[in-house]
Amino acid sequence: MIEIEGITKRYGETTVVRDVSLTIAPRTVTVIVGTSGSGKTTLLRMINRLVEPTSGTIRLDGEDNRSLPGYELRRRIGYAIQGHGLFPHRTVAQNIATVPTLLGWDRARIDAKVAELLTLFQLDPAAFGPRYPHELSGGQQQRVGVARALAAEPKVLLMDEPFGALDPIIRAKAQDDLLAIQKHFETTIVLVTHDMEEAFHLADRIAVMDKGEVVQYTTPAEMLVKPATGFVESLIGAGERPFRLLAIETVATAVEPGTAEGKAISSAVSQREALSTLLWSGRKALPVVGPDGVLIGKVSLDGLAQRAAGRS
Amino acid sequence: MLRLPNLFRLLALAALVAFLVQPQWFEPLLRPLVQENAPAIYNQGSLLQLTLLHLRTVAIATAGATVVALALAILVTRTSGAEFLPLSRSLVNIGQTFPPVAVLALAVPIFGFGEKPTLIALFLYGLLPIFENALTGLTTLPQSTMEAARGTGMTGRQRLLKIELPLAMPVILAGIRLSVVISLATATIGSTVAARTLGEVIIAGLQSNNLAFVVQGGLIVAVLAVLIHDALQAAERSLGSRMGR
């Protein structure tokens, strides 16, 4: 659990972050969005004290984050940034081993952890461990950057636009991988982005920042239905709203009794994908199968239309 | 497979060693440069010994300049030392603008004749390239790498030793290379105040109007400078290529 209480950061006369309070539940993904200069990165960097707040406190699992030296705090918190920030003069394995080495883990434990993480990120340890970062593709470098952040098994992972430098296809894959890994390690993730698509895809809760203040902090669905201010509404994009709403929920919650003609669709895909399939195939309804492949009902154009309008 | 430039370097090295060990082999080559009866090969001491002493003087002066310049550059690139940047810049610049000959003239009354004044002159003269390059190297590190170094929980000292210095090393080495080459040439004037360098050969040639002495003294210094320059450059390249530069 991360409790941010009345955090303010001033640089001279300018207030970058103004009296922000947020409580972030453990094992969730919280995404902080906002335009550039909204203070979102500064807020993130105050959690691991790369930036010291002017006033206010931040507690991690009830413990004030100023109760130990900054560098020790940062060894306990994962940190991944845009453009990966890998150390160019160290191999992939050495990069991932950075924090465990600082913590003084023994060789065998470090090697095992590096191999585990590389495997988890679908990089062959024997092939990729000895390589230097410049020998990797952008997507691979980004994965190594996240692997390094997770190496010491932190409970909290902070990410600052981690996928900003990736092309759209690799980015979507990286986002899905991140969600899988978050479930695997049960990490609490706080991620900063300006990409709303990414925010709605990843977030359990979204915090919208504008001019240093958090203007809304809620679930993606709630935010779509009840944007707190005109700024939040414009950030979501009026034209995208129904589709975003469908995108954040799976077909499982939209299943209606009955059946329909045609090729069945899985209950695990998003409602947006179901809508797309319905529109493309020109049908009014499609049969839905559960994870075990058994027919559980149908999903209809009318039903989805209701949901897209926020009236489920 | 030996590439052509390396073949030339190897030949130059072989010729240099041969000349230092068996100078009389080269006598016919140098003979046309001197008058009848005058010696064509330096005969007032061992060329090999002078070369080694010359190299020793340069090595000591450069090592001293490296330690001081690097320490200064590290100091002024820390947040706590940033205010000393202008001061150390001007100090180092004075070292460079002060002609080595003038340093010799000033140092001799204090330290006497011999190696010391030369070492001081070379040390002062060698500071600037190393300092400026170290400064450049330490202040132009990739932003995201430095951010990551802090983010992973490295202390200031760990960041300096594990990240900043290794990453800046190719640029620092380039500064050391410049300084070494300058010192190799400048060290010859040390012989005007009785330092034992290859300058002795050149000065002896000038005094006895023996062109062969001047040429052999000059050539040894030149070949040394080129070979050492290339060797250090190769070291920089191999460091740099590992980092994908």
Side-chain angles (χ1 to χ4, degrees):
Chain A
M1 176 133 86
I2 306 170
E3 294 162 279
I4 300 173
E5 231 178 70
I7 280 286
T8 295
K9 178 65 189 181
R10 264 185 239 106
Y11 288 107
E13 292 294 294
T14 19
T15 306
V16 188
V17 173
R18 191 191 308 269
D19 194 24
V20 166
S21 297
L22 292 178
T23 303
I24 294 164
R27 296 178 289 281
T28 60
V29 179
T30 298
V31 177
I32 307 174
V33 293
T35 48
S36 36
S38 61
K40 55 187 195 299
T41 294
T42 309
L43 179 64
L44 185 83
R45 288 158 54 96
M46 284 192 282
I47 297 175
N48 67 356
R49 284 175 58 204
L50 282 172
V51 173
E52 298 285 354
T54 310
S55 64
T57 52
I58 295 176
R59 284 189 299 275
L60 301 167
D61 290 331
E63 198 183 340
D64 193 319
N65 73 347
R66 283 165 300 188
S67 61
L68 67 174
Y71 63 89
E72 273 181 39
L73 175 79
R74 289 190 277 276
R75 290 173 191 176
R76 292 203 201 167
I77 299 177
Y79 186 56
I81 54 178
Q82 178 169 18
H84 63 76
L86 293 177
F87 304 135
H89 61 304
R90 295 180 156 202
T91 64
V92 166
Q94 287 169 336
N95 264 286
I96 296 176
T98 304
V99 184
T101 308
L102 291 173
L103 291 171
W105 288 15
D106 61 60
R107 194 73 253 158
R109 188 175 168 205
I110 292 176
D111 290 346
K113 190 72 204 176
V114 169
E116 178 200 336
L117 281 165
L118 280 173
T119 312
L120 202 60
F121 280 90
Q122 297 137 46
L123 298 167
D124 175 21
F128 285 92
R131 290 200 201 167
Y132 284 93
H134 71 93
E135 299 169 301
L136 271 53
S137 73
Q140 290 164 344
Q141 290 172 338
Q142 191 276 335
R143 277 182 269 167
V144 175
V146 178
R148 179 177 65 184
L150 290 170
E153 296 163 9
K155 281 195 210 151
V156 175
L157 172 60
L158 308 178
M159 308 182 90
D160 190 358
E161 309 237 3
F163 310 121
L166 303 181
D167 66 59
I169 292 174
I170 297 177
R171 188 183 312 170
K173 169 90 168 66
Q175 289 166 351
D176 290 334
D177 288 350
L178 181 69
L179 287 177
I181 277 157
Q182 190 263 339
K183 296 225 161 54
H184 179 88
F185 288 117
E186 302 197 313
T187 318
T188 308
I189 296 181
V190 185
L191 184 144
V192 159
T193 184
H194 59 252
D195 177 354
M196 290 307 287
E197 193 82 34
E198 181 166 285
F200 281 104
H201 181 42
L202 296 175
D204 292 312
R205 286 176 90 88
I206 299 180
V208 178
M209 287 192 75
D210 184 24
K211 301 187 191 78
E213 292 181 71
V214 170
V215 291
Q216 190 166 19
Y217 176 48
T218 184
T219 61
E222 172 92 7
M223 185 167 289
L224 286 166
V225 182
K226 291 184 209 140
T229 65
F231 175 74
V232 178
E233 209 170 325
S234 70
L235 207 59
I236 295 167
E240 290 288 324
R241 217 150 81 169
F243 304 110
R244 292 209 196 285
L245 205 50
L246 291 181
I248 55 183
E249 291 205 46
T250 61
V251 170
T253 54
V255 175
E256 302 161 33
T259 185
E261 290 291 303
K263 193 170 172 289
I265 188 167
S266 157
S267 65
V269 303
S270 75
Q271 294 177 8
R272 182 178 177 159
E273 211 174 315
L275 176 71
S276 170
T277 314
L278 280 165
L279 290 173
W280 195 248
S281 63
R283 296 174 192 279
K284 292 272 181 220
L286 282 175
V288 177
V289 293
D292 44 6
V294 179
L295 201 68
I296 53 171
K298 63 169 185 175
V299 56
S300 71
L301 211 47
D302 290 342
L304 290 180
Q306 291 275 322
R307 291 177 162 274
R311 287 187 291 267
S312 52
Chain B
M1 201 18 222
L2 209 54
R3 283 178 304 118
L4 203 56
N6 282 339
L7 188 67
F8 279 127
R9 287 181 189 121
L10 210 63
L11 285 176
L13 180 66
L16 178 67
V17 172
F19 185 74
L20 292 177
V21 180
Q22 297 292 347
Q24 62 280 8
W25 290 355
F26 295 80
E27 213 243 341
L29 283 174
L30 293 162
R31 170 74 24 214
L33 296 175
V34 291
Q35 292 150 339
E36 290 288 319
N37 303 328
I41 298 297
Y42 187 65
N43 55 1
Q44 296 162 33
S46 148
L47 282 172
L48 179 63
Q49 195 203 1
L50 279 180
T51 304
L52 292 177
L53 286 170
H54 189 102
L55 286 175
R56 193 185 77 147
T57 305
V58 171
I60 294 173
T62 309
T66 303
V67 169
V68 172
L70 202 53
L72 264 184
I74 290 170
L75 177 79
V76 300
T77 49
R78 305 305 99 187
T79 25
S80 53
E83 54 187 307
F84 296 107
L85 177 58
L87 176 70
S88 33
R89 261 228 164 95
S90 31
L91 274 178
V92 169
N93 271 313
I94 291 171
Q96 180 77 10
T97 49
F98 221 85
V101 177
V103 177
L104 289 183
L106 289 175
V108 167
I110 306 168
F111 298 100
F113 286 92
E115 198 185 14
K116 273 187 199 150
T118 313
L119 281 177
I120 293 168
L122 293 184
F123 165 78
L124 289 176
Y125 215 50
L127 280 176
L128 181 81
I130 304 178
F131 177 73
E132 283 296 335
N133 272 45
L135 211 54
T136 308
L138 289 171
T139 51
T140 55
L141 297 166
Q143 192 60 45
S144 66
T145 307
M146 293 314 297
E147 168 87 0
R150 282 191 69 206
T152 52
M154 291 191 184
T155 61
R157 190 191 164 83
Q158 287 165 335
R159 288 202 301 276
L160 175 67
L161 295 178
K162 295 184 173 193
I163 308 296
E164 296 176 46
L165 283 179
L167 284 182
M169 202 40 81
V171 186
I172 296 173
L173 268 181
I176 295 175
R177 170 168 54 89
L178 278 176
S179 180
V180 165
V181 171
I182 295 172
S183 289
L184 276 168
T186 314
T188 49
I189 63 160
S191 292
T192 56
V193 294
R196 305 223 53 208
T197 74
L198 286 165
E200 267 186 41
V201 184
I202 299 171
I203 290 167
L206 291 172
Q207 280 168 346
S208 59
N209 201 17
N210 184 328
L211 188 57
F213 284 9
V214 178
V215 167
Q216 60 197 266
L219 272 181
I220 295 172
V221 174
V223 172
L224 277 178
V226 169
L227 288 177
I228 291 175
H229 173 277
D230 288 359
L232 286 172
Q233 202 165 45
E236 281 158 45
R237 280 216 202 91
S238 83
L239 268 181
S241 70
R242 234 178 45 170
M243 294 172 213
R245 287 213 191 126

